[in-house]
Amino acid sequence: MKRSPDLLRLADTVLLPGFVGTTAPDWVRRRLADGLAGVVLFSRNVDTPAQLAGLTAALRAENPDILVGIDEEAGEVTRLEARTGSSRPGNYALGVVDDEELTEQVGRDIGRDLRAAGVTIDFAPAADVNSNPDNPVIGLRSFGADPLLVARHTAAWIRGLQSAGVAACAKHFPGHGDTSVDSHHSVPRVTVSREELAEVELWPFRAAIREGVRAIMTGHLLVTAYDSELPATLSPRILTDLLRTELGFDGLVVTDGIEMAAVAGVYGLGGASALAIAAGADSICVGGENSDEATVELIRNTIVDAVAEGKLTEDRLAEAAVRVRALASWQAGASEAAGSREIGLAAARRAVRVTRHRGAAAVLPLAAAPHVVELAPETNLAIDKGMPWGTGEPLSKLLPGTTVTRLREPEAMDGAPDRALGDAADRPLVIVVRDAHRHPWQMHVLERMLAARPDGVVVEMGLPGRTDLGAVHIATHGSARVCGQAAAEILTGLQEE
């Protein structure tokens, strides 16, 4: 099939591909020079601030009017600081503090760093209402379970980020919070009524639209009240009828990673992309897993073929391209100053909550270097593997001689907890968990260790389920590096509770 050069250029405009490496490969440079409208960056593309700024400058040397996107939520989902852990807490901690001015300051701080690095759109904030505490993919990425609180802080975060000249992108429309399935692996189902959606999931997106959010990212969710067959990313009823017509959003609609199994597993990369554009999406995000030129070629050609076959109108494709170019040319007036980092630690300190039980007075502050046992669960694919977290490292700096045992589920079943208790003999014991309520193995190990050491301190760095565990229970409401620092300061008495 001979493909029209004009249609090929339009299709290039709606693609946001990723690539591997800290410098741009030849194929990316060539395609940008030929009209590719942008790229999406991942932690594999980021080494240092100077390197990242050099990379984006090199991309713009090929095409000055491009979108450069990244997932920088702070907290658990950071690309700028994946190697060190985030210097800012994530949404849940900000929701616990519930200070909209602080949330706006954190958003602005992130925006300044992104703008200095040459990034133009941040795929954040997550505007999902975490109404299901067992949600495997949202959790700490949400501002909380109260839709009005999430709406207020979503608006504040957007206000801060966009004041720095970086476009915000509220996600995952129409709301991924009330799910128990990770869309990276399968199709989550949202089965509540339209009335319930309006009262919970849609509140934050309405607030985002009122705030002037420049983009909204779709969720790969089957929202049965609107469409019982197609996930939201592929559904005209959700992207056109609900988002465009009912909610009145006229900015850029970008898909979540199109290679995720919830959509590509059924329709293929190209098929899902063409369906998404036809449904009302304007830009296809791809490259988390499929980051080569062949993938871009496949998606582009499939979109063009869909026009030729009558599955996608040329007007719809052209409309999508216009929105992409409009966002690429947008930039609010803002300072070029980089973020300060100080606001992040201040926010993390304010988010800590301490619950004391019998005997707590004899436990805190720690009188000697402790043994720290960190129970490390598997994380979802949105979180970079190997990103530093926990209290062991910051405690080691404050109390030299601190030792750390980190256990994953297989290790926790082979006698390692007993050995860790032996390492903690005659020393304070600190047990660090992460979403313990979602992981039975963590609860099993935790209860077993506390039975032997009721004076143990529990630090929960995920969603706090039970606060009755340990002589002292410390909830950080996040696992960012600064959350670990804030917990270490409480443990050593450097910060008041």
Side-chain angles (χ1 to χ4, degrees):
M1 178 186 296
K2 186 175 181 179
R3 300 179 176 98
S4 159
D6 290 341
L7 286 179
L8 288 170
R9 280 192 290 271
L10 284 177
D12 267 338
T13 305
V14 303
L15 300 184
L16 278 178
F19 57 89
V20 175
T22 54
T23 58
D26 290 343
W27 71 265
V28 171
R29 288 175 174 271
R30 173 169 37 81
R31 284 187 173 272
L32 286 172
D34 289 343
L36 183 68
V39 296
V40 57
L41 302 178
F42 296 86
S43 57
R44 66 189 179 216
N45 306 122
V46 180
D47 185 13
T48 67
Q51 168 271 323
L52 181 57
L55 169 59
T56 58
L59 296 172
R60 285 196 173 81
E62 304 295 341
N63 182 349
D65 296 319
I66 60 167
L67 284 177
V68 178
I70 201 167
D71 272 305
E72 184 57 40
E73 300 175 20
E76 286 61 43
V77 179
T78 176
R79 307 301 182 227
L80 294 182
E81 300 182 280
R83 287 170 172 75
T84 61
S86 180
S87 59
R88 306 174 185 95
N91 286 358
Y92 200 86
L94 295 173
V96 167
V97 177
D98 195 12
D99 179 341
E100 292 170 49
E101 183 178 350
L102 176 66
T103 297
E104 183 175 345
Q105 289 175 325
V106 171
R108 183 179 299 112
D109 210 45
I110 293 169
R112 286 171 173 167
D113 275 358
L114 291 175
R115 181 162 178 174
V119 173
T120 56
I121 179 171
D122 185 7
F123 301 128
D128 309 288
V129 180
N130 196 57
S131 48
N132 182 350
D134 292 326
N135 193 310
V137 69
I138 300 301
L140 296 169
R141 301 167 68 191
S142 168
F143 289 108
D146 178 349
L148 297 181
L149 178 145
V150 175
R152 289 189 285 106
H153 287 275
T154 294
W157 208 98
I158 290 166
R159 193 161 54 246
L161 185 81
Q162 294 192 162
S163 73
V166 175
C169 180
K171 62 187 183 185
H172 308 80
F173 186 82
H176 207 320
D178 189 18
T179 62
S180 57
V181 172
D182 184 345
S183 52
H184 289 91
H185 305 297
S186 188
V187 183
R189 293 176 62 88
V190 178
T191 58
V192 299
S193 67
R194 291 193 181 195
E195 291 74 21
E196 290 171 302
L197 280 168
E199 290 301 316
V200 180
E201 279 79 11
L202 296 182
W203 268 110
F205 291 100
R206 289 194 192 97
I209 292 168
R210 285 195 300 270
E211 192 58 51
V213 70
R214 292 285 165 170
I216 287 178
M217 177 176 279
T218 67
H220 303 325
L221 320 161
L222 195 65
V223 184
T224 57
Y226 283 91
D227 195 326
S228 60
E229 297 180 359
L230 293 171
T233 297
L234 313 181
S235 172
R237 296 175 187 172
I238 294 175
L239 297 191
T240 299
D241 298 348
L242 175 59
L243 181 56
R244 294 290 190 202
T245 303
E246 184 177 332
L247 299 186
F249 180 63
D250 61 1
L252 185 82
V253 175
V254 60
T255 71
D256 204 349
I258 205 69
E259 62 259 69
M260 291 163 65
V263 288
V266 179
Y267 302 98
L269 286 171
S273 299
L275 283 170
I277 299 296
D282 304 307
S283 186
I284 304 297
C285 182
V286 66
E289 300 168 45
N290 302 80
S291 50
D292 55 12
E293 186 174 15
T295 296
V296 176
E297 191 81 10
L298 168 69
I299 294 175
R300 184 188 72 161
N301 290 345
T302 305
I303 289 173
V304 170
D305 292 347
V307 174
E309 295 163 5
K311 299 175 181 177
L312 168 65
T313 68
E314 185 173 349
D315 286 348
R316 169 80 272 274
L317 180 58
E319 177 189 50
V322 166
R323 285 204 180 96
V324 172
R325 294 188 190 106
L327 185 57
S329 66
W330 173 84
Q331 191 174 58
S335 167
E336 296 289 345
S340 69
R341 297 294 193 274
E342 295 176 4
I343 191 67
L345 181 56
R349 287 168 174 161
R350 291 179 62 184
V352 174
R353 299 292 182 268
V354 180
T355 305
R356 289 175 169 267
H357 303 293
R358 183 176 299 178
V363 174
L364 289 187
L366 298 177
H371 185 68
V372 179
V373 179
E374 295 178 344
L375 305 183
E378 288 295 318
T379 57
N380 64 68
L381 291 178
I383 301 172
D384 279 278
K385 302 295 183 185
M387 186 170 64
W389 71 280
T391 62
E393 183 178 344
L395 264 177
S396 298
K397 294 176 181 177
L398 297 175
L399 286 176
T402 294
T403 53
V404 181
T405 297
R406 175 165 287 193
L407 301 178
R408 299 187 182 278
E409 184 174 4
E411 301 156 343
M413 301 302 160
D414 69 354
D418 291 332
R419 292 192 291 273
L421 283 170
D423 292 336
D426 302 321
R427 302 176 63 182
L429 173 65
V430 177
I431 308 170
V432 184
V433 295
R434 193 168 171 181
D435 283 346
H437 73 284
R438 289 203 305 110
H439 299 280
W441 73 270
Q442 285 194 63
M443 290 301 302
H444 173 75
V445 173
L446 183 59
E447 290 172 347
R448 181 176 170 185
M449 297 189 80
L450 289 175
R453 288 289 302 271
D455 62 333
V457 178
V458 176
V459 179
E460 171 61 82
M461 301 193 75
L463 290 179
R466 292 176 54 184
T467 61
D468 61 325
L469 299 166
V472 178
H473 184 280
I474 300 174
T476 62
H477 302 102
S479 60
R481 172 167 52 87
V482 285
C483 297
Q485 176 68 34
E489 292 174 352
I490 292 290
L491 290 165
T492 56
L494 290 181
Q495 287 291 324
E496 295 182 0
E497 299 173 17

